[in-house]
Amino acid sequence: MTDPTGCTRVAVVGYGYWGSKHVRVLSTLPGVEVMVVDADDDRLAEAAAQYPAAERCRSLDYALDRVHAVVVAAPPGSHAELARTALSAGRHTLVEKPLTTSVEDAEDLVDLSRRSGALLMTGHTFEYNPAVWKLKEVVRSGELGRVLYIDAQRLSLGRYQADVDVVWDLAPHDISIVSFLLDEMPSAASVWAKRNLGVRHSDMAYLRLDFETARTHAFVHVSWLNPRKVRTITVIGERKMAVYDDMSDNERIRIYDIGVDPACIDDPSAAHSVPMTYRTGDIVSPFVPFREPLLVQDQHFIDCVRTGAECRTPGERGLDVVRVLSAADRATMLGEPVRVRDFRSHQRCARQPARPTHRDRRAPQDRRGRVAVRGRRRGLRAAPP
C-alpha cells in the first residue's frame, strides 16, 4: 500500500503515560499521520478528544494494513508479543524501554528484525537528550580526568507498575545513560532491593554496575517511594566533577573544579589524620540548547523509516540493557554480584558481522516475494521519502 498523501503512517500501541506523549510528538511532525491503538474505550475517547485528527482502533492486527511503522508503548510485559506481531508483518518498530522482560524475548526480536528486514529500535530516550550528549563530550574530553565512579538517582513518588518492579521500570534509563557515557556495557551487577508497599514488586533499589574497560563503577538509586522527583547523574573524576540535573530549567550540566588530592604528611603529630588536600575552584555551566528528547528520538525513528538509515539505539542496544536487568534480577535473588555475560545466548556469543541498514537486508522470501517469517506478512511498501 502506498499512501496517496505521501505521509508516513504510524500506529502507537497503548495510550497510557508514554503512549500519549508519543502521539503528541508524532502529531507535530510534518508528513506523519498517527493511529492510536488501545483496547480501553476510555483511553480511545481521551485520544479522540485531544487528537481528533488521529485515527483510532482497538487492535494492532487491524492497524497493520494501514501503517508503515509501529510504536509499542504498552505495559512492558506485552512488549515482546506486540513487537513480534509488528515485525512479522514487516513493520518498522520502535519499542519503549525495556525492550522486553526477558533476554530470550529480546534476542528473538533482534533475530526477527534481521530476518524480516524491518527496523527494530529501542526507546532509550535519554540517549537523544542534548544534555546527555554534552555530558558525554565532557567525559570523553578528559576534562574530568579518570572517572572514579558515577552516581545516578532516579526517584519520585508513585507510578507503581503492575508487571515490573522499580529496577525494570526506572533503571533502564540510567543503565542506558551510564553505558552511553562510558562507551561500555557493565560487566557485572549487584543489587539491594526492597518492597515497602504492595505485595509483589520492590519499590526501591540500589544497583552497583562494574565496568571493566573503564575500571570504574556506577551506583544507581531508583525509587517509587520518595517525596521529591530527582533525576541526576554525577560523574566523579580525578580532576573535576560534573552533575547532570534533568529537573533543572537552565543549568542542566554543571562542572565543578573541585576535588581531593593525596598529600604527604610532613608533621609527625598529624600522622593520625587522613593525608588529603582539598581544592576548590570555579563552577561552570555550559550552554545546552534544549530540544525535547522524545521529539528528537521520534523524529530520528521517522527519518530511519523513510531513508533506511541505521538508528542510534537499535534492538541490539535494548537487548544489552535487558541482559543487565536480568543479571540484576539474579543478583537480587542470590545476594551477590552476577556477571552480565552469563546472560548472553551461547549461539550469539560470537561477534556479529556489521549490521546492514533495513533497506539493504535480503530476507528469505516465499514464492510470492513475501518475507518468510513467523506470523502474517502484509504487503505494504516502504514509507515515502
Side-chain angles (χ1 to χ4, degrees), residues 131-170:
V132 175
W133 296 344
K134 184 63 179 180
L135 183 58
K136 179 170 184 172
E137 178 185 318
V138 171
V139 171
R140 295 187 68 177
S141 73
E143 181 179 356
L144 307 182
R146 185 174 71 86
V147 175
L148 302 178
Y149 74 90
I150 297 177
D151 180 80
Q153 296 186 78
R154 193 164 300 274
L155 321 172
S156 60
L157 184 64
R159 298 210 63 81
Y160 277 69
Q161 304 296 315
D163 57 348
V164 293
D165 64 12
V166 69
V167 173
W168 282 82
D169 180 41
L170 298 182

mmCIF file of all heavy atoms in Angstrom, residues 131-170:
data_model
loop_
_atom_site.group_PDB
_atom_site.id
_atom_site.type_symbol
_atom_site.label_atom_id
_atom_site.label_comp_id
_atom_site.label_asym_id
_atom_site.label_seq_id
_atom_site.Cartn_x
_atom_site.Cartn_y
_atom_site.Cartn_z
ATOM 1 N N ALA A 131 21.576 17.324 26.693
ATOM 2 C CA ALA A 131 22.366 17.467 27.922
ATOM 3 C C ALA A 131 23.228 16.237 28.162
ATOM 4 O O ALA A 131 24.372 16.343 28.611
ATOM 5 C CB ALA A 131 21.444 17.715 29.116
ATOM 6 N N VAL A 132 22.701 15.057 27.861
ATOM 7 C CA VAL A 132 23.486 13.828 27.989
ATOM 8 C C VAL A 132 24.596 13.808 26.947
ATOM 9 O O VAL A 132 25.722 13.374 27.224
ATOM 10 C CB VAL A 132 22.574 12.587 27.871
ATOM 11 C CG1 VAL A 132 23.395 11.306 27.885
ATOM 12 C CG2 VAL A 132 21.562 12.573 29.015
ATOM 13 N N TRP A 133 24.302 14.291 25.735
ATOM 14 C CA TRP A 133 25.355 14.401 24.716
ATOM 15 C C TRP A 133 26.480 15.307 25.221
ATOM 16 O O TRP A 133 27.658 14.999 25.038
ATOM 17 C CB TRP A 133 24.786 14.984 23.422
ATOM 18 C CG TRP A 133 23.757 14.132 22.749
ATOM 19 C CD1 TRP A 133 23.501 12.811 22.976
ATOM 20 C CD2 TRP A 133 22.855 14.552 21.724
ATOM 21 N NE1 TRP A 133 22.482 12.378 22.162
ATOM 22 C CE2 TRP A 133 22.067 13.420 21.385
ATOM 23 C CE3 TRP A 133 22.627 15.755 21.063
ATOM 24 C CZ2 TRP A 133 21.068 13.483 20.411
ATOM 25 C CZ3 TRP A 133 21.634 15.828 20.099
ATOM 26 C CH2 TRP A 133 20.876 14.688 19.777
ATOM 27 N N LYS A 134 26.115 16.424 25.845
ATOM 28 C CA LYS A 134 27.120 17.353 26.359
ATOM 29 C C LYS A 134 27.930 16.698 27.470
ATOM 30 O O LYS A 134 29.168 16.854 27.519
ATOM 31 C CB LYS A 134 26.444 18.620 26.879
ATOM 32 C CG LYS A 134 27.425 19.682 27.348
ATOM 33 C CD LYS A 134 28.303 20.175 26.210
ATOM 34 C CE LYS A 134 29.263 21.256 26.653
ATOM 35 N NZ LYS A 134 30.124 21.728 25.536
ATOM 36 N N LEU A 135 27.271 15.978 28.364
ATOM 37 C CA LEU A 135 27.987 15.308 29.452
ATOM 38 C C LEU A 135 28.977 14.291 28.895
ATOM 39 O O LEU A 135 30.110 14.169 29.381
ATOM 40 C CB LEU A 135 26.990 14.639 30.403
ATOM 41 C CG LEU A 135 27.583 13.952 31.631
ATOM 42 C CD1 LEU A 135 28.397 14.924 32.468
ATOM 43 C CD2 LEU A 135 26.472 13.314 32.465
ATOM 44 N N LYS A 136 28.569 13.557 27.866
ATOM 45 C CA LYS A 136 29.486 12.600 27.246
ATOM 46 C C LYS A 136 30.673 13.325 26.620
ATOM 47 O O LYS A 136 31.820 12.857 26.719
ATOM 48 C CB LYS A 136 28.755 11.771 26.182
ATOM 49 C CG LYS A 136 29.667 10.764 25.482
ATOM 50 C CD LYS A 136 28.903 9.791 24.618
ATOM 51 C CE LYS A 136 29.836 8.754 24.008
ATOM 52 N NZ LYS A 136 29.132 7.680 23.307
ATOM 53 N N GLU A 137 30.425 14.451 25.998
ATOM 54 C CA GLU A 137 31.512 15.245 25.411
ATOM 55 C C GLU A 137 32.521 15.652 26.486
ATOM 56 O O GLU A 137 33.743 15.588 26.272
ATOM 57 C CB GLU A 137 30.914 16.482 24.737
ATOM 58 C CG GLU A 137 31.926 17.433 24.133
ATOM 59 C CD GLU A 137 31.260 18.693 23.593
ATOM 60 O OE1 GLU A 137 30.186 18.568 22.953
ATOM 61 O OE2 GLU A 137 31.804 19.795 23.813
ATOM 62 N N VAL A 138 32.013 16.056 27.646
ATOM 63 C CA VAL A 138 32.885 16.459 28.752
ATOM 64 C C VAL A 138 33.700 15.270 29.254
ATOM 65 O O VAL A 138 34.912 15.372 29.481
ATOM 66 C CB VAL A 138 32.050 17.071 29.892
ATOM 67 C CG1 VAL A 138 32.910 17.293 31.137
ATOM 68 C CG2 VAL A 138 31.403 18.383 29.450
ATOM 69 N N VAL A 139 33.047 14.121 29.424
ATOM 70 C CA VAL A 139 33.737 12.929 29.909
ATOM 71 C C VAL A 139 34.824 12.497 28.930
ATOM 72 O O VAL A 139 35.967 12.209 29.312
ATOM 73 C CB VAL A 139 32.731 11.782 30.155
ATOM 74 C CG1 VAL A 139 33.467 10.473 30.444
ATOM 75 C CG2 VAL A 139 31.789 12.122 31.303
ATOM 76 N N ARG A 140 34.483 12.463 27.640
ATOM 77 C CA ARG A 140 35.438 11.989 26.631
ATOM 78 C C ARG A 140 36.584 12.967 26.409
ATOM 79 O O ARG A 140 37.669 12.565 25.965
ATOM 80 C CB ARG A 140 34.708 11.730 25.312
ATOM 81 C CG ARG A 140 33.686 10.608 25.379
ATOM 82 C CD ARG A 140 33.110 10.276 24.030
ATOM 83 N NE ARG A 140 34.109 9.672 23.154
ATOM 84 C CZ ARG A 140 33.845 9.240 21.917
ATOM 85 N NH1 ARG A 140 32.620 9.353 21.427
ATOM 86 N NH2 ARG A 140 34.783 8.712 21.182
ATOM 87 N N SER A 141 36.373 14.235 26.701
ATOM 88 C CA SER A 141 37.427 15.228 26.504
ATOM 89 C C SER A 141 38.574 15.052 27.489
ATOM 90 O O SER A 141 39.665 15.577 27.271
ATOM 91 C CB SER A 141 36.849 16.640 26.648
ATOM 92 O OG SER A 141 36.556 16.927 28.014
ATOM 93 N N GLY A 142 38.328 14.342 28.577
ATOM 94 C CA GLY A 142 39.344 14.173 29.606
ATOM 95 C C GLY A 142 39.382 15.298 30.614
ATOM 96 O O GLY A 142 40.234 15.307 31.516
ATOM 97 N N GLU A 143 38.471 16.265 30.501
ATOM 98 C CA GLU A 143 38.459 17.408 31.411
ATOM 99 C C GLU A 143 38.293 16.974 32.865
ATOM 100 O O GLU A 143 38.861 17.588 33.784
ATOM 101 C CB GLU A 143 37.339 18.374 31.023
ATOM 102 C CG GLU A 143 37.250 19.608 31.897
ATOM 103 C CD GLU A 143 36.143 20.560 31.475
ATOM 104 O OE1 GLU A 143 35.499 20.288 30.442
ATOM 105 O OE2 GLU A 143 35.937 21.572 32.177
ATOM 106 N N LEU A 144 37.522 15.930 33.090
ATOM 107 C CA LEU A 144 37.286 15.459 34.461
ATOM 108 C C LEU A 144 38.418 14.584 34.973
ATOM 109 O O LEU A 144 38.487 14.313 36.183
ATOM 110 C CB LEU A 144 35.973 14.674 34.542
ATOM 111 C CG LEU A 144 34.711 15.348 34.008
ATOM 112 C CD1 LEU A 144 33.501 14.445 34.202
ATOM 113 C CD2 LEU A 144 34.480 16.701 34.668
ATOM 114 N N GLY A 145 39.271 14.112 34.078
ATOM 115 C CA GLY A 145 40.272 13.124 34.469
ATOM 116 C C GLY A 145 39.654 11.737 34.443
ATOM 117 O O GLY A 145 38.549 11.528 33.934
ATOM 118 N N ARG A 146 40.382 10.782 35.000
ATOM 119 C CA ARG A 146 39.846 9.415 35.048
ATOM 120 C C ARG A 146 38.577 9.391 35.883
ATOM 121 O O ARG A 146 38.509 9.992 36.957
ATOM 122 C CB ARG A 146 40.874 8.458 35.646
ATOM 123 C CG ARG A 146 40.428 7.003 35.619
ATOM 124 C CD ARG A 146 41.535 6.076 36.075
ATOM 125 N NE ARG A 146 41.794 6.190 37.492
ATOM 126 C CZ ARG A 146 41.117 5.489 38.428
ATOM 127 N NH1 ARG A 146 40.130 4.674 38.067
ATOM 128 N NH2 ARG A 146 41.411 5.624 39.699
ATOM 129 N N VAL A 147 37.561 8.693 35.374
ATOM 130 C CA VAL A 147 36.287 8.603 36.087
ATOM 131 C C VAL A 147 36.443 7.635 37.259
ATOM 132 O O VAL A 147 36.724 6.445 37.072
ATOM 133 C CB VAL A 147 35.153 8.132 35.154
ATOM 134 C CG1 VAL A 147 33.867 7.915 35.941
ATOM 135 C CG2 VAL A 147 34.933 9.159 34.036
ATOM 136 N N LEU A 148 36.278 8.139 38.472
ATOM 137 C CA LEU A 148 36.396 7.307 39.670
ATOM 138 C C LEU A 148 35.122 6.515 39.910
ATOM 139 O O LEU A 148 35.167 5.328 40.222
ATOM 140 C CB LEU A 148 36.722 8.173 40.883
ATOM 141 C CG LEU A 148 38.013 9.004 40.774
ATOM 142 C CD1 LEU A 148 38.198 9.856 42.016
ATOM 143 C CD2 LEU A 148 39.210 8.094 40.551
ATOM 144 N N TYR A 149 33.982 7.186 39.770
ATOM 145 C CA TYR A 149 32.694 6.494 39.828
ATOM 146 C C TYR A 149 31.602 7.423 39.336
ATOM 147 O O TYR A 149 31.808 8.632 39.178
ATOM 148 C CB TYR A 149 32.386 5.976 41.238
ATOM 149 C CG TYR A 149 31.995 7.031 42.252
ATOM 150 C CD1 TYR A 149 30.668 7.399 42.451
ATOM 151 C CD2 TYR A 149 32.966 7.646 43.049
ATOM 152 C CE1 TYR A 149 30.301 8.345 43.397
ATOM 153 C CE2 TYR A 149 32.616 8.595 44.004
ATOM 154 C CZ TYR A 149 31.286 8.946 44.166
ATOM 155 O OH TYR A 149 30.930 9.884 45.092
ATOM 156 N N ILE A 150 30.445 6.839 39.044
ATOM 157 C CA ILE A 150 29.271 7.605 38.619
ATOM 158 C C ILE A 150 28.129 7.285 39.564
ATOM 159 O O ILE A 150 27.909 6.123 39.920
ATOM 160 C CB ILE A 150 28.875 7.259 37.166
ATOM 161 C CG1 ILE A 150 30.006 7.647 36.198
ATOM 162 C CG2 ILE A 150 27.580 7.962 36.770
ATOM 163 C CD1 ILE A 150 29.730 7.266 34.751
ATOM 164 N N ASP A 151 27.422 8.315 39.970
ATOM 165 C CA ASP A 151 26.274 8.147 40.858
ATOM 166 C C ASP A 151 25.020 8.615 40.129
ATOM 167 O O ASP A 151 24.993 9.716 39.568
ATOM 168 C CB ASP A 151 26.461 8.967 42.141
ATOM 169 C CG ASP A 151 25.288 8.818 43.096
ATOM 170 O OD1 ASP A 151 25.231 7.815 43.815
ATOM 171 O OD2 ASP A 151 24.412 9.713 43.100
ATOM 172 N N ALA A 152 23.993 7.772 40.100
ATOM 173 C CA ALA A 152 22.742 8.106 39.415
ATOM 174 C C ALA A 152 21.579 7.975 40.386
ATOM 175 O O ALA A 152 21.507 7.007 41.154
ATOM 176 C CB ALA A 152 22.531 7.191 38.211
ATOM 177 N N GLN A 153 20.669 8.927 40.338
ATOM 178 C CA GLN A 153 19.467 8.887 41.172
ATOM 179 C C GLN A 153 18.243 9.146 40.307
ATOM 180 O O GLN A 153 18.212 10.134 39.555
ATOM 181 C CB GLN A 153 19.536 9.938 42.282
ATOM 182 C CG GLN A 153 20.653 9.728 43.276
ATOM 183 C CD GLN A 153 20.556 10.717 44.426
ATOM 184 O OE1 GLN A 153 19.750 10.562 45.346
ATOM 185 N NE2 GLN A 153 21.380 11.754 44.364
ATOM 186 N N ARG A 154 17.271 8.276 40.428
ATOM 187 C CA ARG A 154 16.007 8.423 39.696
ATOM 188 C C ARG A 154 14.903 8.083 40.692
ATOM 189 O O ARG A 154 14.515 6.934 40.887
ATOM 190 C CB ARG A 154 15.976 7.492 38.482
ATOM 191 C CG ARG A 154 14.841 7.805 37.497
ATOM 192 C CD ARG A 154 15.095 7.130 36.166
ATOM 193 N NE ARG A 154 16.351 7.601 35.586
ATOM 194 C CZ ARG A 154 16.463 8.699 34.838
ATOM 195 N NH1 ARG A 154 15.393 9.403 34.548
ATOM 196 N NH2 ARG A 154 17.637 9.078 34.366
ATOM 197 N N LEU A 155 14.385 9.132 41.332
ATOM 198 C CA LEU A 155 13.460 8.966 42.448
ATOM 199 C C LEU A 155 12.194 9.769 42.198
ATOM 200 O O LEU A 155 12.229 10.846 41.591
ATOM 201 C CB LEU A 155 14.109 9.450 43.754
ATOM 202 C CG LEU A 155 15.592 9.135 43.961
ATOM 203 C CD1 LEU A 155 16.121 9.856 45.194
ATOM 204 C CD2 LEU A 155 15.799 7.638 44.077
ATOM 205 N N SER A 156 11.075 9.271 42.682
ATOM 206 C CA SER A 156 9.815 10.012 42.595
ATOM 207 C C SER A 156 8.789 9.314 43.473
ATOM 208 O O SER A 156 9.050 8.248 44.044
ATOM 209 C CB SER A 156 9.311 10.094 41.148
ATOM 210 O OG SER A 156 9.100 8.804 40.619
ATOM 211 N N LEU A 157 7.636 9.903 43.556
ATOM 212 C CA LEU A 157 6.551 9.322 44.337
ATOM 213 C C LEU A 157 5.520 8.729 43.385
ATOM 214 O O LEU A 157 4.903 9.422 42.586
ATOM 215 C CB LEU A 157 5.891 10.386 45.218
ATOM 216 C CG LEU A 157 4.794 9.870 46.165
ATOM 217 C CD1 LEU A 157 5.376 8.897 47.187
ATOM 218 C CD2 LEU A 157 4.118 11.040 46.874
ATOM 219 N N GLY A 158 5.389 7.412 43.451
ATOM 220 C CA GLY A 158 4.321 6.781 42.695
ATOM 221 C C GLY A 158 4.717 6.254 41.333
ATOM 222 O O GLY A 158 5.889 6.038 41.045
ATOM 223 N N ARG A 159 3.678 6.069 40.521
ATOM 224 C CA ARG A 159 3.723 5.364 39.246
ATOM 225 C C ARG A 159 4.176 3.927 39.457
ATOM 226 O O ARG A 159 5.065 3.431 38.749
ATOM 227 C CB ARG A 159 4.596 6.090 38.229
ATOM 228 C CG ARG A 159 4.088 7.483 37.873
ATOM 229 C CD ARG A 159 4.451 7.877 36.468
ATOM 230 N NE ARG A 159 3.827 7.007 35.486
ATOM 231 C CZ ARG A 159 2.567 7.120 35.067
ATOM 232 N NH1 ARG A 159 1.790 8.054 35.571
ATOM 233 N NH2 ARG A 159 2.095 6.292 34.168
ATOM 234 N N TYR A 160 3.593 3.271 40.476
ATOM 235 C CA TYR A 160 3.833 1.845 40.684
ATOM 236 C C TYR A 160 3.339 1.074 39.457
ATOM 237 O O TYR A 160 2.266 1.369 38.922
ATOM 238 C CB TYR A 160 3.087 1.353 41.928
ATOM 239 C CG TYR A 160 3.821 1.601 43.228
ATOM 240 C CD1 TYR A 160 3.995 2.884 43.717
ATOM 241 C CD2 TYR A 160 4.334 0.539 43.962
ATOM 242 C CE1 TYR A 160 4.666 3.112 44.907
ATOM 243 C CE2 TYR A 160 5.005 0.748 45.159
ATOM 244 C CZ TYR A 160 5.170 2.035 45.623
ATOM 245 O OH TYR A 160 5.839 2.247 46.803
ATOM 246 N N GLN A 161 4.111 0.089 39.021
ATOM 247 C CA GLN A 161 3.783 -0.697 37.846
ATOM 248 C C GLN A 161 3.255 -2.074 38.246
ATOM 249 O O GLN A 161 3.667 -2.628 39.277
ATOM 250 C CB GLN A 161 5.004 -0.862 36.953
ATOM 251 C CG GLN A 161 5.632 0.457 36.529
ATOM 252 C CD GLN A 161 4.701 1.289 35.668
ATOM 253 O OE1 GLN A 161 4.059 0.782 34.752
ATOM 254 N NE2 GLN A 161 4.610 2.580 35.957
ATOM 255 N N ALA A 162 2.389 -2.623 37.412
ATOM 256 C CA ALA A 162 1.771 -3.904 37.733
ATOM 257 C C ALA A 162 2.622 -5.096 37.313
ATOM 258 O O ALA A 162 2.582 -6.152 37.955
ATOM 259 C CB ALA A 162 0.393 -4.007 37.069
ATOM 260 N N ASP A 163 3.412 -4.944 36.238
ATOM 261 C CA ASP A 163 4.092 -6.127 35.697
ATOM 262 C C ASP A 163 5.607 -6.106 35.827
ATOM 263 O O ASP A 163 6.265 -7.072 35.450
ATOM 264 C CB ASP A 163 3.706 -6.346 34.233
ATOM 265 C CG ASP A 163 4.000 -5.136 33.349
ATOM 266 O OD1 ASP A 163 4.278 -4.057 33.896
ATOM 267 O OD2 ASP A 163 3.954 -5.278 32.114
ATOM 268 N N VAL A 164 6.193 -5.032 36.340
ATOM 269 C CA VAL A 164 7.635 -4.991 36.574
ATOM 270 C C VAL A 164 7.919 -4.268 37.887
ATOM 271 O O VAL A 164 7.088 -3.494 38.378
ATOM 272 C CB VAL A 164 8.395 -4.274 35.433
ATOM 273 C CG1 VAL A 164 8.317 -5.066 34.141
ATOM 274 C CG2 VAL A 164 7.866 -2.853 35.237
ATOM 275 N N ASP A 165 9.121 -4.514 38.439
ATOM 276 C CA ASP A 165 9.498 -3.819 39.667
ATOM 277 C C ASP A 165 10.190 -2.502 39.330
ATOM 278 O O ASP A 165 10.321 -2.118 38.168
ATOM 279 C CB ASP A 165 10.372 -4.709 40.557
ATOM 280 C CG ASP A 165 11.716 -5.054 39.915
ATOM 281 O OD1 ASP A 165 12.071 -4.438 38.886
ATOM 282 O OD2 ASP A 165 12.404 -5.951 40.441
ATOM 283 N N VAL A 166 10.654 -1.808 40.370
ATOM 284 C CA VAL A 166 11.219 -0.479 40.168
ATOM 285 C C VAL A 166 12.514 -0.531 39.350
ATOM 286 O O VAL A 166 12.820 0.412 38.615
ATOM 287 C CB VAL A 166 11.449 0.214 41.528
ATOM 288 C CG1 VAL A 166 12.582 -0.464 42.314
ATOM 289 C CG2 VAL A 166 11.719 1.694 41.358
ATOM 290 N N VAL A 167 13.260 -1.623 39.442
ATOM 291 C CA VAL A 167 14.508 -1.736 38.681
ATOM 292 C C VAL A 167 14.209 -1.795 37.193
ATOM 293 O O VAL A 167 14.796 -1.071 36.384
ATOM 294 C CB VAL A 167 15.311 -2.972 39.135
ATOM 295 C CG1 VAL A 167 16.520 -3.184 38.227
ATOM 296 C CG2 VAL A 167 15.758 -2.813 40.586
ATOM 297 N N TRP A 168 13.278 -2.646 36.797
ATOM 298 C CA TRP A 168 12.930 -2.772 35.378
ATOM 299 C C TRP A 168 12.216 -1.525 34.865
ATOM 300 O O TRP A 168 12.286 -1.214 33.670
ATOM 301 C CB TRP A 168 12.062 -4.005 35.148
ATOM 302 C CG TRP A 168 12.835 -5.282 35.139
ATOM 303 C CD1 TRP A 168 13.247 -6.013 36.218
ATOM 304 C CD2 TRP A 168 13.317 -5.986 33.985
ATOM 305 N NE1 TRP A 168 13.944 -7.119 35.808
ATOM 306 C CE2 TRP A 168 13.996 -7.140 34.443
ATOM 307 C CE3 TRP A 168 13.212 -5.769 32.614
ATOM 308 C CZ2 TRP A 168 14.593 -8.058 33.568
ATOM 309 C CZ3 TRP A 168 13.802 -6.685 31.748
ATOM 310 C CH2 TRP A 168 14.490 -7.815 32.219
ATOM 311 N N ASP A 169 11.545 -0.809 35.740
ATOM 312 C CA ASP A 169 10.814 0.383 35.313
ATOM 313 C C ASP A 169 11.730 1.589 35.131
ATOM 314 O O ASP A 169 11.661 2.283 34.104
ATOM 315 C CB ASP A 169 9.730 0.711 36.344
ATOM 316 C CG ASP A 169 8.924 1.944 35.968
ATOM 317 O OD1 ASP A 169 8.594 2.099 34.773
ATOM 318 O OD2 ASP A 169 8.613 2.764 36.867
ATOM 319 N N LEU A 170 12.605 1.853 36.102
ATOM 320 C CA LEU A 170 13.384 3.086 36.090
ATOM 321 C C LEU A 170 14.851 2.903 35.703
ATOM 322 O O LEU A 170 15.424 3.754 35.030
ATOM 323 C CB LEU A 170 13.312 3.759 37.475
ATOM 324 C CG LEU A 170 11.923 4.196 37.944
ATOM 325 C CD1 LEU A 170 12.026 4.879 39.310
ATOM 326 C CD2 LEU A 170 11.256 5.119 36.943
#
